[in-house]
Amino acid sequence: MISTKRLSKYMILTALAFLIMCSSLALPADRAFAFKYGFQGAPQNTVGVTRPTLTFYLKTDTNLFPTAYSMFVNGTIVAAAYDKDKGAFTYTPDKDMTPGNYTVRMSVTFKGYQPLEESWTFTIANDAQSQFAAAVPAQLEAFNALNDYRILYGLPPVKMNERLNASATAHASYLNVNEVKQSNDSQESLHMQEAGKKQFIGATPLERAAYYGYTSKVGEDAAYASGATNEAMDLLFDAPYHRNPYLDPNVSEIGVGKVGDYTIIEFGYSSTVTNQLVLSPAPGDRYVPTTFNGNEDPDPLRLHSSAAYPVGYPIMAEYYGTGTEKVKLVSAEVTDSSKQKVDVLVNTPDNDDKLANAFILLPSKPLQANETYRVKLSVQVTKSDGSTVNDSKEWDFTTEPTPGIGKTKLHQDSTKYKNASVTVAPFQRTASFGLDDSSYFVDGISFPMKRQPAILEGFSYLYIRDLASALGADVEWDNAKRAAIYTKGSLKVTLFTTENAYEVNGQLKQTDTPAQLIGENTMVPVRLLAEVLGAKVDYIDATRTVKLTY
């Protein structure tokens, strides 16, 4: 509780930002009232840079501006600047400061009041850096990947910050050298450091950022996963709790570190605040993944004891900004293209202590490939003044036909992706198989064939599993019937390999060109594709290519 008594001291803690110590101004004898102020001096503790930006944050309950101010470092006055919008006085040395202890004193005068005098101390480490390393390819790759998502969702792109890069890299190195989370029974957090361990620079993300001279609000994502940086970035985005800062319109800059299998992202927040409800997947996105396999801490399924992975791709709505006391989910519904309801597991701030103003809808089973889903949400926002606002959202998205195609296209050219693949109109896909090739293409993205096409008695045959992957279908082998079972949504096709017939949803049909077994592989003649699989089939003789449009 904050005391309202005059001439008293109190404290305010701002999460992930900074601690402000508050007191009231000393009054001249002829004044009968006071105003309160709070301040924060930065940096504090030990810093690892030789030219830290010294900042004095000042907040008052009056609209007065200072008439004079001075900043002193170890008793010597320095040329500080004042930003009235941020209420901050700053000074960045133009020369390296030597390792050691420093005291900063700030004097600020308001007209009609005695000057306020405050001070704080900090230490420059013996191994402090005089300049930061240039971004390496892995950092640039991660930076571009995150901005691809920002472009897709129509959010302001972020900038790369060298201080956050240094903090993220140092933390990734700490995790790697101390082998954090490298055993199943490890209880250590990827977000915390422990004093006394090798390469310790600060327990929390905020302390580590401050070590490199970054003093604004920060957030952090951390991944322990093998593979390329882009893969780690995509894994973090797909995980609902870690998706949060990717889509926060108030994030303005980031830093990335990758050491070994550890990828760290530090998010820096702007001083101005945007209030916005962000929906994901992006409305109209036609390449949404179908499945979420977990591997997230905390585990969103901890609230649903009967559920198990894999589940459907997480659907989210999050209200970002300030001035909000509570966001409540009133109702939620997910339906497929046949208007059948999808069973979803719901996490909200009411049942999930890791959520503040966000909702997670987890389909209890993986979504169907190349299927369109519609989401309806109704939310109630309670403002800090007690007023309430009701809001309803409705949007659709379509799942990708082949795993990974959406992210490949997004990271190739995010602007082109947004313009071409985020639509409200019906969306057609194409798959092409070159009869002389070892790979096929789905919407322009190449995938290796498991079995090359074959030509028998003048007819061209494609491998059923390659077809299924290209068209977003499932295939099983029925050994008793000697038939491949092709399933896509409500369509079930039984392709017999020992008779001139096939079944479509249980209805037997005759054909002169049935599926055939070549080796152990079920091959389907191209001429049968259109009538069986519901795709438009064209053959381009000049390139010996089969093109399917669906």
Side-chain angles (χ1 to χ4, degrees):
M1 179 176 180
I2 297 174
S3 171
T4 58
K5 294 180 179 179
R6 294 168 57 193
L7 301 178
S8 63
K9 292 188 176 182
Y10 57 90
M11 302 177 71
I12 301 174
L13 179 64
T14 303
L16 290 178
F18 47 76
L19 184 66
I20 299 179
M21 294 174 292
C22 298
S23 64
S24 48
L25 280 170
L27 295 175
D30 59 347
R31 299 300 292 265
F33 62 92
F35 63 77
K36 296 186 176 76
Y37 74 89
F39 81 94
Q40 163 72 14
Q44 298 191 24
N45 303 319
T46 300
V47 296
V49 292
T50 58
R51 298 187 186 186
T53 297
L54 311 182
T55 306
F56 181 77
Y57 298 97
L58 181 65
K59 183 177 182 180
T60 74
D61 62 357
T62 179
N63 57 3
L64 296 176
F65 292 110
T67 56
Y69 59 87
S70 300
M71 180 183 288
F72 300 84
V73 179
N74 283 356
T76 301
I77 193 169
V78 296
Y82 176 56
D83 185 334
K84 65 180 181 179
D85 293 327
K86 297 181 179 180
F89 305 82
T90 60
Y91 166 71
T92 302
D94 56 7
K95 296 180 180 180
D96 292 341
M97 300 175 71
T98 59
N101 300 322
Y102 291 86
T103 298
V104 183
R105 180 170 62 86
M106 194 73 206
S107 176
V108 183
T109 302
F110 292 86
K111 184 178 180 180
Y113 291 84
Q114 296 175 356
L116 67 88
E117 303 278 349
E118 300 291 354
S119 63
W120 74 95
T121 62
F122 69 94
T123 301
I124 293 183
N126 290 329
D127 60 350
Q129 299 181 26
S130 59
Q131 60 183 12
F132 294 99
V136 299
Q139 290 172 310
L140 294 173
E141 182 182 352
F143 170 75
N144 291 330
L146 191 143
N147 268 333
D148 288 339
Y149 286 108
R150 305 280 288 190
I151 289 171
L152 169 61
Y153 282 83
L155 299 170
V158 299
K159 298 179 180 179
M160 180 173 282
N161 183 283
E162 61 182 6
R163 297 177 188 271
L164 291 178
N165 271 349
S167 176
T169 301
H171 185 49
S173 181
Y174 166 91
L175 296 173
N176 188 60
V177 75
N178 290 291
E179 300 181 351
V180 176
K181 285 290 187 184
Q182 292 190 16
S183 64
N184 291 332
D185 58 352
S186 173
Q187 299 299 313
E188 296 174 283
S189 169
L190 289 176
H191 295 291
M192 300 299 292
Q193 291 190 10
E194 186 177 332
K197 289 196 171 183
K198 290 179 286 187
Q199 299 186 19
F200 172 85
I201 59 170
T204 67
L206 183 62
E207 291 172 1
R208 296 190 292 272
Y211 182 85
Y212 288 103
Y214 192 86
T215 56
S216 296
K217 174 184 174 182
V218 297
E220 181 178 89
D221 268 2
Y224 175 53
S226 59
T229 310
N230 255 10
E231 294 176 298
M233 299 297 290
D234 291 337
L235 285 172
L236 287 168
F237 181 84
D238 290 342
Y241 297 111
H242 293 79
R243 191 184 305 175
N244 178 321
Y246 276 66
L247 301 182
D248 192 333
N250 301 294
V251 169
S252 59
E253 51 193 0
I254 68 165
V256 181
K258 181 171 176 59
V259 179
D261 290 336
Y262 297 93
T263 300
I264 303 297
I265 316 172
E266 304 292 356
F267 299 89
Y269 291 75
S270 61
S271 56
T272 57
V273 177
T274 299
N275 294 318
Q276 185 173 347
L277 181 65
V278 179
L279 310 171
S280 61
D285 190 355
R286 303 308 172 194
Y287 290 98
V288 175
T290 61
T291 306
F292 178 56
N293 288 306
N295 299 319
E296 182 176 26
D297 184 14
D299 181 2
L301 290 193
R302 70 192 187 281
L303 308 179
H304 312 283
S305 57
S306 62
Y309 292 109
V311 295
Y313 191 74
I315 301 165
M316 293 189 69
E318 178 142 7
Y319 188 87
Y320 297 94
T322 60
T324 302
E325 184 68 26
K326 183 179 181 181
V327 179
K328 181 179 180 61
L329 181 64
V330 178
S331 63
E333 180 183 87
V334 181
T335 54
D336 62 19
S337 59
S338 300
K339 298 184 179 179
Q340 297 297 308
K341 288 186 178 181
V342 176
D343 181 51
V344 293
L345 311 169
V346 181
N347 291 31
T348 77
D350 289 332
N351 66 355
D352 190 334
D353 62 351
K354 301 302 180 182
L355 296 176
N357 294 330
F359 315 113
I360 302 172
L361 307 180
L362 285 169
S364 60
K365 297 180 180 179
L367 301 175
Q368 294 293 317
N370 195 37
E371 173 68 283
T372 297
Y373 294 89
R374 179 162 290 275
V375 185
K376 296 180 181 180
L377 289 177
S378 178
V379 301
Q380 184 181 76
V381 180
T382 302
K383 300 292 187 179
S384 299
D385 61 5
S387 62
T388 60
V389 177
N390 293 314
D391 195 4
S392 296
K393 298 293 182 183
E394 184 173 346
W395 79 101
D396 68 50
F397 63 87
T398 303
T399 52
E400 59 190 357
T402 304
I405 184 174
K407 296 187 186 303
T408 299
K409 293 176 73 69
L410 174 67
H411 296 316
Q412 280 183 346
D413 189 329
S414 53
T415 300
K416 182 178 179 181
Y417 181 96
K418 181 176 176 62
N419 292 336
S421 305
V422 180
T423 70
V424 295
F427 193 81
Q428 280 196 325
R429 305 192 190 279
T430 60
S432 58
F433 292 79
L435 300 183
D436 303 315
D437 296 336
S438 59
S439 60
Y440 63 91
F441 290 83
V442 179
D443 292 351
I445 302 300
S446 175
F447 296 90
M449 290 185 188
K450 297 180 177 69
R451 171 73 160 80
Q452 281 190 278
I455 299 178
L456 297 175
E457 301 177 355
F459 294 104
S460 301
Y461 287 76
L462 302 179
Y463 180 37
I464 185 64
R465 294 194 181 277
D466 286 333
L467 275 171
S469 294
L471 303 182
D474 295 318
V475 174
E476 294 180 356
W477 173 253
D478 188 324
N479 196 52
K481 294 181 178 180
R482 305 297 290 170
I485 312 299
Y486 175 101
T487 306
K488 182 180 179 184
S490 60
L491 176 67
K492 180 179 180 180
V493 180
T494 302
L495 297 163
F496 298 102
T497 61
T498 56
E499 55 183 295
N500 291 350
Y502 62 91
E503 283 185 359
V504 177
N505 291 341
Q507 183 179 0
L508 186 66
K509 298 187 177 185
Q510 301 297 314
T511 178
D512 293 332
T513 53
Q516 294 197 29
L517 275 179
I518 301 179
E520 296 297 320
N521 302 314
T522 304
M523 307 293 286
V524 182
V526 170
R527 66 177 295 178
L528 193 61
L529 295 178
E531 55 186 291
V532 173
L533 306 184
K536 179 179 181 295
V537 181
D538 295 300
Y539 179 71
I540 304 171
D541 187 63
T543 58
R544 288 169 51 84
T545 299
V546 178
K547 180 181 177 182
L548 299 92
T549 305
Y550 61 101

